[in-house]
Structures are given as C-alpha cells and as structure tokens.
Amino acid sequence: MATVVGGGNGKGDGRGRTVRTPRAPLPPLPRPITGPELASPPLVVRRREEEETVVTFPHLVWKEFLAGLAAFVFLLAVSIQVNAPLLQRANLAITPNPAKAPWYFVGLQELLERFPPVMAGVAFPSFVIIFMILTPYLDRNPSRRPQDRKVAIGMFTIYLCLAVAFVVIGVFFRSLAFNWDWTMVLGHPGLSSPT
Amino acid sequence: MSAPPKEGNPVRTFVDEVWGSIFRHGLPTTDKVAARTALTNFFLHIHPVRVKKSAIRVSYTLCLGGLSFFLFILLTITGLFLMFYYIPSVDQAYQNIKDLQFVATFGLVIRNMHRWAAHGMVITVWLHMARVFYQGAYKPPRQFNWAIGTLLLLTTLLLSFSGYLLPWDQLAVWAITVGTNMAKYAPLAGPYTRYLLLGGRQVAQGALIRFYVLHVIALPLIGFLLMVVHFWRTRKDGFTGGL
C-alpha cells in the first residue's frame, strides 16, 4: 500500500516534495467468450431491466405521491360513509356477551379457547415473535428465488393462513360466550347458539 | 440553480431570489437536475438519487411500506386534532368523543379517519412483512432490518391496542380487559405485568391515563425511532429489486 503524505493528491506533501500516488492497476480486460461458453449460458441470466436505474425524483416520488393520494381519498370516502363504533359509556358492572379482544388479538383469544392459557397467551405469541426476529439468521438458504425456497415459503404460508383463519373465526364465527356460531355469517337470527 | 438576476422587473427578481434560495434546482427536466434536486432537498434526501428500476415497480413493492408510513403520518395529524378535544379522564373521555362526533366541526370525519387508518396500518404493515418474506428481501445483508421491522409490527399493534381504550365505551373497556387478561397468564411475571399495564386490578382511571400516555407519546416515539433506523438501513443495505 502506498504511503500517502499530505493528502496524496500527487502534487505535493506541503514540504516541497512531490509525492506520486501509485495508480491502481486497471482491471483485466474481459476474456472473449468462446464457443463452449456460448453453447452453455450461465445459469442466471439477468434481465436488462433489473440493472437499469432511474432517478428517484421524480420516478419514485411520483409513485409515492399517487399511492398516498389514492390512500387518502379512499380513507376519506370510507370515513364519510362509515362511522367509527361507539357503544354505551363504559360500565364495569355490565359484561357484554361476548367480550372480544380487538380483531388483531382475537386470534389469540381463539387460541385460548383451544389451549391452556400459558400456551395460548404466552408461549405461542412469544415463540412467534422470537422466531420471526430470528428468521433471517435461521434461514441459511442464500437464494431469493421462490423455486429454491419451497420449505420457507410453505412454512410461512401455513403460519399466515392459520393467523388469518383464527382472526376470521374469532370475529365472524364466535358469538355468545365465545361459542361457535354459524348464524352470524349464514344468518338465522332466531337460531343463535345457546350460552 | 438560482436564476441569475434579471434586469427590469424588481418584483420578479425578488421572487426569483426567494424561490431560488428555497429550491436550489428546478423541476427534474434532466437526470442531472433531478439528481441535484434530490441531493439538496431534505425531504427528498430520504431516497437515494438513483434506484434500480425493478426495485420500484408497483407490482414488486405493492407500495405497502410507503403506505404504512403514510398512514402513520395521517394518524399523527388526525391524532393531534383529536388531542385538542380529548381529556383522558373516566368522567370526561366518553363525553369528549360524543362532542367530537356531534359538536366539533369535522370531528366525526377526523375521528373516523383516525380509526380506519389505524386498522389500515395494522393491515398494511402485516402485508408489508408478508411481501418482504415472499421476496426473500430479509436475506443478508438485511437481516437486522427485518428484526427492526418485526419490532415495528409489534409497535403498530400496541399503538392500535392502546388507542382502543381511549373512547371509554363498552367496546373499549372490555376489549382491553380481555386483551390484558392474556398478559396475566405468563408464569410469575403475568399478574405483575397486568398490574403494571393497568395501574390497578381493573380497567379504570389508572389504565386510561397509562394507555393515553403510551398511545400519544411513548409508542409513537418508539415507532418513529424504529422507522428512522428502518429507512436508514433500507438505504444503506440497498434495495432488493426483481427476483
């Protein structure tokens, strides 16, 4: 490595001496592609578009603006049409039936119906959180292509499906005393399940 | 670049000078001007100057991360508005919400937006996580950013959960009762965790003020800090782009 004195700009070291920074050797010229290589192209052929770059302003900023605008208009339309729920004033003496957690935690409530509390309320969620954080360190497969990641994708899809299914069950199929009830969706108001 | 001073109209010259002092470069007519604008603008500087075309395809990102951030901003703005009217007291909170719905100008729409955007953010953050997983975008060198993202998902859930109590209606109190009951099942620490969260043995004034402070100060700050790191790492680790 060259010892660079006085900034190494090749002009001087501040004491009247000329210091020349050695130039880095040029990279070797690419070897011409010969017949056998042409016959068997490399495994991964990158599309040209993947390497092509664009300036983020305006290309990305424009997309973000449009997405934000669309989201805002959509939310405004929903907010004008649908009111946020507001029930009676809180009363700790009256327990509603069923008492449900917010929808994103109702999956945990569903687990509580099926497993001992320590498992459903503590062990499962902790396991999921820790496993999720550790996912990139546990998945040693370097490929990002879906066809090389069948196990990972399969496991994650099962997790997603279970999570969604538990939330859907908790929200739409559990009524009085958190009992199973088809009628909320299928609609037989007179036949709701006994408590 | 700021426009050179023009002879003649002094008002025009002054306006040009002011404009040029704020926006140093013009509209992105060429890549060079666009790059300079992005480099010298604080808000645009969140992005790199250039990015792979495949990395910003809408069909690739589905805009989910950006939408989550947008909803966070929208929630902050609508939340600020709600804070002018809301008093975290069990005697007043419910009436404040009623006033917001029926008395305050645009109060109803703002409250609705806050509520639906909160649900929306839980969904977009969740879908963003799924998108990143399916594209393997958590792989080296982005492992740590995935971990930050997981914490952001948790923060989003807790933000939504803490806000759930604030209207102080039957839905709020009992949802939080059921939710915090889960905490008490943890061996040893469980009952203490619940007591710490609620500031008592049941959902009452202690719980309301704790959830309020968590909702408007603590969790947004934590979320903001995590987001700053998340975006910084996204830039430094590079965008993934086409599979």
Side-chain angles (χ1 to χ4, degrees), chain B residues 182-206:
Chain B
M182 288 175 199
K184 78 177 178 200
Y185 296 123
L188 300 175
Y192 299 103
T193 311
R194 185 169 187 272
Y195 191 87
L196 190 73
L197 261 178
L198 296 185
R201 297 202 189 284
Q202 60 177 354
V203 181
Q205 179 62 57

mmCIF file of all heavy atoms in Angstrom, chain B residues 182-206:
data_model
loop_
_atom_site.group_PDB
_atom_site.id
_atom_site.type_symbol
_atom_site.label_atom_id
_atom_site.label_comp_id
_atom_site.label_asym_id
_atom_site.label_seq_id
_atom_site.Cartn_x
_atom_site.Cartn_y
_atom_site.Cartn_z
ATOM 1 N N MET B 182 -54.912 -11.660 28.987
ATOM 2 C CA MET B 182 -53.972 -12.629 28.404
ATOM 3 C C MET B 182 -52.598 -12.487 29.059
ATOM 4 O O MET B 182 -51.878 -13.453 29.222
ATOM 5 C CB MET B 182 -53.842 -12.407 26.904
ATOM 6 C CG MET B 182 -55.072 -12.834 26.138
ATOM 7 S SD MET B 182 -54.881 -12.408 24.409
ATOM 8 C CE MET B 182 -56.563 -12.471 23.883
ATOM 9 N N ALA B 183 -52.251 -11.236 29.405
ATOM 10 C CA ALA B 183 -50.926 -10.992 29.976
ATOM 11 C C ALA B 183 -50.752 -11.704 31.308
ATOM 12 O O ALA B 183 -49.653 -12.120 31.660
ATOM 13 C CB ALA B 183 -50.699 -9.493 30.150
ATOM 14 N N LYS B 184 -51.856 -11.870 32.029
ATOM 15 C CA LYS B 184 -51.697 -12.412 33.382
ATOM 16 C C LYS B 184 -51.404 -13.917 33.390
ATOM 17 O O LYS B 184 -51.082 -14.465 34.431
ATOM 18 C CB LYS B 184 -52.916 -12.074 34.235
ATOM 19 C CG LYS B 184 -54.138 -12.909 34.006
ATOM 20 C CD LYS B 184 -55.222 -12.509 34.977
ATOM 21 C CE LYS B 184 -56.474 -13.322 34.727
ATOM 22 N NZ LYS B 184 -57.667 -12.723 35.267
ATOM 23 N N TYR B 185 -51.523 -14.543 32.226
ATOM 24 C CA TYR B 185 -51.248 -15.988 32.189
ATOM 25 C C TYR B 185 -49.763 -16.303 32.188
ATOM 26 O O TYR B 185 -49.362 -17.447 32.345
ATOM 27 C CB TYR B 185 -51.905 -16.630 30.966
ATOM 28 C CG TYR B 185 -53.408 -16.559 31.002
ATOM 29 C CD1 TYR B 185 -54.124 -15.958 29.969
ATOM 30 C CD2 TYR B 185 -54.108 -17.067 32.092
ATOM 31 C CE1 TYR B 185 -55.495 -15.869 30.008
ATOM 32 C CE2 TYR B 185 -55.483 -16.975 32.140
ATOM 33 C CZ TYR B 185 -56.182 -16.382 31.095
ATOM 34 O OH TYR B 185 -57.534 -16.291 31.154
ATOM 35 N N ALA B 186 -48.940 -15.273 31.948
ATOM 36 C CA ALA B 186 -47.494 -15.514 31.945
ATOM 37 C C ALA B 186 -47.083 -15.998 33.329
ATOM 38 O O ALA B 186 -47.517 -15.448 34.333
ATOM 39 C CB ALA B 186 -46.751 -14.245 31.587
ATOM 40 N N PRO B 187 -46.252 -17.053 33.364
ATOM 41 C CA PRO B 187 -45.839 -17.541 34.672
ATOM 42 C C PRO B 187 -45.054 -16.466 35.425
ATOM 43 O O PRO B 187 -44.295 -15.716 34.831
ATOM 44 C CB PRO B 187 -44.944 -18.741 34.342
ATOM 45 C CG PRO B 187 -44.685 -18.681 32.885
ATOM 46 C CD PRO B 187 -45.668 -17.770 32.252
ATOM 47 N N LEU B 188 -45.242 -16.417 36.711
ATOM 48 C CA LEU B 188 -44.563 -15.478 37.617
ATOM 49 C C LEU B 188 -44.868 -14.010 37.305
ATOM 50 O O LEU B 188 -45.571 -13.337 38.062
ATOM 51 C CB LEU B 188 -43.040 -15.723 37.614
ATOM 52 C CG LEU B 188 -42.594 -17.107 38.050
ATOM 53 C CD1 LEU B 188 -41.083 -17.267 37.875
ATOM 54 C CD2 LEU B 188 -43.004 -17.395 39.488
ATOM 55 N N ALA B 189 -44.368 -13.511 36.178
ATOM 56 C CA ALA B 189 -44.473 -12.074 35.910
ATOM 57 C C ALA B 189 -45.868 -11.649 35.469
ATOM 58 O O ALA B 189 -46.190 -10.459 35.509
ATOM 59 C CB ALA B 189 -43.456 -11.668 34.859
ATOM 60 N N GLY B 190 -46.714 -12.615 35.060
ATOM 61 C CA GLY B 190 -48.001 -12.297 34.455
ATOM 62 C C GLY B 190 -48.856 -11.293 35.207
ATOM 63 O O GLY B 190 -49.147 -10.210 34.704
ATOM 64 N N PRO B 191 -49.249 -11.635 36.459
ATOM 65 C CA PRO B 191 -50.123 -10.713 37.191
ATOM 66 C C PRO B 191 -49.482 -9.341 37.387
ATOM 67 O O PRO B 191 -50.171 -8.317 37.338
ATOM 68 C CB PRO B 191 -50.309 -11.417 38.541
ATOM 69 C CG PRO B 191 -49.998 -12.847 38.266
ATOM 70 C CD PRO B 191 -48.971 -12.866 37.188
ATOM 71 N N TYR B 192 -48.171 -9.318 37.582
ATOM 72 C CA TYR B 192 -47.484 -8.036 37.777
ATOM 73 C C TYR B 192 -47.508 -7.219 36.489
ATOM 74 O O TYR B 192 -47.663 -6.001 36.514
ATOM 75 C CB TYR B 192 -46.031 -8.265 38.221
ATOM 76 C CG TYR B 192 -45.941 -9.002 39.532
ATOM 77 C CD1 TYR B 192 -45.621 -10.349 39.563
ATOM 78 C CD2 TYR B 192 -46.214 -8.341 40.731
ATOM 79 C CE1 TYR B 192 -45.557 -11.032 40.765
ATOM 80 C CE2 TYR B 192 -46.157 -9.019 41.940
ATOM 81 C CZ TYR B 192 -45.823 -10.364 41.949
ATOM 82 O OH TYR B 192 -45.780 -11.031 43.140
ATOM 83 N N THR B 193 -47.327 -7.908 35.348
ATOM 84 C CA THR B 193 -47.359 -7.215 34.058
ATOM 85 C C THR B 193 -48.702 -6.547 33.871
ATOM 86 O O THR B 193 -48.793 -5.380 33.474
ATOM 87 C CB THR B 193 -47.116 -8.217 32.905
ATOM 88 O OG1 THR B 193 -45.986 -8.993 33.226
ATOM 89 C CG2 THR B 193 -46.908 -7.507 31.592
ATOM 90 N N ARG B 194 -49.760 -7.301 34.199
ATOM 91 C CA ARG B 194 -51.104 -6.755 34.023
ATOM 92 C C ARG B 194 -51.316 -5.559 34.948
ATOM 93 O O ARG B 194 -51.850 -4.523 34.548
ATOM 94 C CB ARG B 194 -52.147 -7.844 34.304
ATOM 95 C CG ARG B 194 -53.550 -7.387 34.033
ATOM 96 C CD ARG B 194 -54.529 -8.539 34.056
ATOM 97 N NE ARG B 194 -55.845 -8.085 33.638
ATOM 98 C CZ ARG B 194 -56.755 -7.589 34.472
ATOM 99 N NH1 ARG B 194 -56.491 -7.495 35.755
ATOM 100 N NH2 ARG B 194 -57.926 -7.189 34.024
ATOM 101 N N TYR B 195 -50.846 -5.710 36.171
ATOM 102 C CA TYR B 195 -50.999 -4.624 37.147
ATOM 103 C C TYR B 195 -50.247 -3.383 36.679
ATOM 104 O O TYR B 195 -50.733 -2.259 36.775
ATOM 105 C CB TYR B 195 -50.476 -5.089 38.510
ATOM 106 C CG TYR B 195 -50.823 -4.153 39.637
ATOM 107 C CD1 TYR B 195 -52.030 -4.270 40.325
ATOM 108 C CD2 TYR B 195 -49.949 -3.138 40.012
ATOM 109 C CE1 TYR B 195 -52.363 -3.401 41.350
ATOM 110 C CE2 TYR B 195 -50.263 -2.265 41.035
ATOM 111 C CZ TYR B 195 -51.468 -2.400 41.704
ATOM 112 O OH TYR B 195 -51.793 -1.527 42.714
ATOM 113 N N LEU B 196 -49.070 -3.617 36.110
ATOM 114 C CA LEU B 196 -48.240 -2.513 35.625
ATOM 115 C C LEU B 196 -48.916 -1.806 34.455
ATOM 116 O O LEU B 196 -48.928 -0.574 34.371
ATOM 117 C CB LEU B 196 -46.879 -3.070 35.179
ATOM 118 C CG LEU B 196 -45.792 -2.060 34.871
ATOM 119 C CD1 LEU B 196 -45.269 -1.444 36.154
ATOM 120 C CD2 LEU B 196 -44.653 -2.729 34.121
ATOM 121 N N LEU B 197 -49.507 -2.608 33.559
ATOM 122 C CA LEU B 197 -50.175 -2.033 32.386
ATOM 123 C C LEU B 197 -51.392 -1.215 32.789
ATOM 124 O O LEU B 197 -51.626 -0.133 32.260
ATOM 125 C CB LEU B 197 -50.627 -3.159 31.449
ATOM 126 C CG LEU B 197 -49.766 -3.496 30.248
ATOM 127 C CD1 LEU B 197 -50.396 -4.667 29.508
ATOM 128 C CD2 LEU B 197 -49.646 -2.308 29.309
ATOM 129 N N LEU B 198 -52.171 -1.755 33.717
ATOM 130 C CA LEU B 198 -53.455 -1.136 34.056
ATOM 131 C C LEU B 198 -53.346 -0.132 35.186
ATOM 132 O O LEU B 198 -54.269 0.645 35.412
ATOM 133 C CB LEU B 198 -54.479 -2.223 34.445
ATOM 134 C CG LEU B 198 -54.874 -3.204 33.343
ATOM 135 C CD1 LEU B 198 -55.962 -4.127 33.843
ATOM 136 C CD2 LEU B 198 -55.338 -2.466 32.106
ATOM 137 N N GLY B 199 -52.242 -0.156 35.909
ATOM 138 C CA GLY B 199 -52.127 0.729 37.056
ATOM 139 C C GLY B 199 -53.171 0.400 38.100
ATOM 140 O O GLY B 199 -53.643 1.274 38.821
ATOM 141 N N GLY B 200 -53.559 -0.868 38.159
ATOM 142 C CA GLY B 200 -54.573 -1.300 39.130
ATOM 143 C C GLY B 200 -55.019 -2.703 38.790
ATOM 144 O O GLY B 200 -54.439 -3.357 37.914
ATOM 145 N N ARG B 201 -56.067 -3.168 39.471
ATOM 146 C CA ARG B 201 -56.515 -4.542 39.218
ATOM 147 C C ARG B 201 -57.602 -4.607 38.155
ATOM 148 O O ARG B 201 -57.948 -5.671 37.687
ATOM 149 C CB ARG B 201 -57.020 -5.169 40.520
ATOM 150 C CG ARG B 201 -55.920 -5.276 41.542
ATOM 151 C CD ARG B 201 -56.181 -6.313 42.597
ATOM 152 N NE ARG B 201 -55.179 -6.205 43.639
ATOM 153 C CZ ARG B 201 -53.928 -6.633 43.515
ATOM 154 N NH1 ARG B 201 -53.543 -7.231 42.407
ATOM 155 N NH2 ARG B 201 -53.058 -6.472 44.492
ATOM 156 N N GLN B 202 -58.175 -3.481 37.837
ATOM 157 C CA GLN B 202 -59.157 -3.492 36.749
ATOM 158 C C GLN B 202 -58.978 -2.249 35.873
ATOM 159 O O GLN B 202 -58.228 -1.348 36.220
ATOM 160 C CB GLN B 202 -60.581 -3.566 37.295
ATOM 161 C CG GLN B 202 -60.933 -2.409 38.195
ATOM 162 C CD GLN B 202 -62.373 -2.509 38.648
ATOM 163 O OE1 GLN B 202 -63.113 -3.370 38.204
ATOM 164 N NE2 GLN B 202 -62.789 -1.618 39.517
ATOM 165 N N VAL B 203 -59.684 -2.278 34.738
ATOM 166 C CA VAL B 203 -59.549 -1.176 33.782
ATOM 167 C C VAL B 203 -60.283 0.037 34.349
ATOM 168 O O VAL B 203 -61.509 0.077 34.357
ATOM 169 C CB VAL B 203 -60.117 -1.581 32.409
ATOM 170 C CG1 VAL B 203 -59.951 -0.455 31.415
ATOM 171 C CG2 VAL B 203 -59.408 -2.827 31.902
ATOM 172 N N ALA B 204 -59.529 1.006 34.847
ATOM 173 C CA ALA B 204 -60.128 2.208 35.447
ATOM 174 C C ALA B 204 -59.257 3.415 35.110
ATOM 175 O O ALA B 204 -58.497 3.369 34.141
ATOM 176 C CB ALA B 204 -60.263 2.011 36.950
ATOM 177 N N GLN B 205 -59.368 4.474 35.912
ATOM 178 C CA GLN B 205 -58.636 5.707 35.605
ATOM 179 C C GLN B 205 -57.133 5.465 35.420
ATOM 180 O O GLN B 205 -56.521 6.031 34.514
ATOM 181 C CB GLN B 205 -58.868 6.729 36.724
ATOM 182 C CG GLN B 205 -58.132 8.048 36.528
ATOM 183 C CD GLN B 205 -58.561 8.792 35.268
ATOM 184 O OE1 GLN B 205 -59.726 9.087 35.088
ATOM 185 N NE2 GLN B 205 -57.618 9.061 34.379
ATOM 186 N N GLY B 206 -56.569 4.633 36.256
ATOM 187 C CA GLY B 206 -55.131 4.344 36.149
ATOM 188 C C GLY B 206 -54.774 3.797 34.789
ATOM 189 O O GLY B 206 -53.776 4.194 34.163
#
